[in-house]
Amino acid sequence: GVVLTGDGSVIVGKNEDWYYPYTRYRFQAAEGERHGYVVFGYWDDDEPAPEGGMNDQGLVFDGFFAPEHKVAGQEGKPLFQRLPLFQSDLFEEVLATCATVDEALALFDHYSLVGMTKWQVLLADAQGNAVIFEGDFAYRMQGTWLVATNFRRSNTSEDEIACWYYLTAKEMIQDTPWADECNMRNILAATHRDLSTGFPTLHSLVYNLSEKTIDVYYFHDLSKPVAELDLTETFPSTEWDDMLGLFPEHPGERLPGQ
């Protein structure tokens, strides 16, 4: 995941790399003081498992697998309702009740995150704040950009980072630090995974937190979005639906099972 900020813009990009092609999405309408949002994810053991999303305030979250790590300081804290693989209900509560990174971290701090042993989350808001959160450690964006992948900032110094995704994105950002969708598409294109890797890029998302819009791209074709979502518009709540419904017949390479 990549965060770019500057000139009043906040752009977040994500390549969804996984072997299982049936990704899902769901809209939740605003109701009273609760924000509207959209989430993207999978089904896990008959449970919805959101891995990312944005609300109508411009708050984004995105989950990433990470080396196993016991989350410290969780004694005496309650679990939030139930605890599926990605604590999906707590993620959705963050989008429904929080507008900023600090509000999200405060909500996380209230509940036990003992299940956050093999993953971490990227949080970013429309005010230009961003953090990689490990459950008991928060690495805040320093400067105007942040890249989150699958290593832990809590035990990895900058000169120890060997992740090709991080190093590729970092080099491109240092060359062209512009916070716009075009620059983000270029970064996502350079860091996508092909089908031959076994974990191909299923789709790419470009969030404009300032405008509260999301461009959805099929596989690793970033030439044109197949869907453009605008969270400033009124939208109804929906059940979880297959993201293949967002993808029209595509002339390029198809995924297994499609």
Side-chain angles (χ1 to χ4, degrees):
V2 180
V3 182
L4 301 175
T5 66
D7 295 326
S9 295
V10 184
I11 309 295
V12 175
K14 165 68 179 291
N15 284 331
E16 184 60 41
D17 303 333
W18 199 235
Y19 65 89
Y20 185 70
Y22 299 106
T23 49
R24 308 270 182 148
Y25 71 103
R26 185 177 83 83
F27 285 94
Q28 178 64 46
E31 184 176 353
E33 296 183 355
R34 296 177 69 83
H35 311 309
Y37 58 85
V38 60
V39 284
F40 305 93
Y42 301 90
W43 285 95
D44 179 76
D45 295 332
D46 297 321
E47 293 277 2
E51 287 200 338
M54 183 171 76
N55 67 16
D56 55 18
Q57 306 300 300
L59 177 66
V60 166
F61 86 86
D62 202 359
F64 299 84
F65 282 108
E68 191 164 2
H69 162 85
K70 182 179 179 180
V71 183
Q74 304 305 297
E75 297 81 4
K77 294 183 179 181
L79 295 175
F80 183 83
Q81 299 180 13
R82 55 189 170 84
L83 191 66
L85 176 63
F86 288 97
Q87 289 190 251
S88 58
D89 45 1
L90 182 52
F91 274 159
E92 292 200 42
E93 186 69 8
V94 165
L95 293 182
T97 62
C98 301
T100 67
V101 166
D102 286 342
E103 289 177 1
L105 292 176
L107 183 61
F108 278 130
D109 187 58
H110 182 72
Y111 294 101
S112 172
L113 301 174
V114 292
M116 204 169 169
T117 57
K118 296 182 180 180
W119 55 275
Q120 57 192 356
V121 62
L122 172 67
L123 296 164
D125 63 34
Q127 289 70 45
N129 305 297
V131 65
I132 301 171
F133 181 58
E134 300 182 11
D136 56 4
F137 176 80
Y139 180 84
R140 291 186 178 269
M141 180 170 65
Q142 302 172 12
T144 60
W145 61 273
L146 182 65
V147 177
T149 64
N150 304 109
F151 64 90
R152 292 190 180 274
R153 280 289 190 169
S154 59
N155 59 17
T156 309
S157 63
E158 186 70 23
D159 58 3
E160 294 175 323
I161 297 173
C163 172
W164 74 273
Y165 185 109
Y166 176 88
L167 295 175
T168 300
K170 176 183 177 180
E171 181 178 1
M172 293 182 71
I173 294 167
Q174 289 177 332
D175 287 343
T176 55
W178 327 127
D180 58 45
E181 287 95 336
C182 180
N183 197 24
M184 183 63 75
R185 288 195 301 269
N186 291 337
I187 294 169
L188 295 181
T191 55
H192 81 271
R193 290 179 178 271
D194 292 321
L195 190 60
S196 61
T197 66
F199 292 86
T201 298
L202 304 177
H203 63 259
S204 299
L205 302 171
V206 176
Y207 299 90
N208 187 322
L209 282 61
S210 311
E211 302 293 333
K212 284 78 174 178
T213 60
I214 309 168
D215 289 344
V216 184
Y217 296 88
Y218 175 83
F219 206 16
H220 51 73
D221 180 4
L222 287 115
S223 62
K224 182 180 180 181
V226 296
E228 298 172 283
L229 311 178
D230 187 345
L231 297 192
T232 66
E233 298 179 354
T234 301
F235 51 86
S237 297
T238 65
E239 298 295 327
W240 282 92
D241 200 1
D242 198 321
M243 282 189 69
L244 293 180
L246 293 176
F247 301 147
E249 285 300 316
H250 196 276
E253 193 171 6
R254 304 294 289 178
L255 294 173
Q258 290 184 270

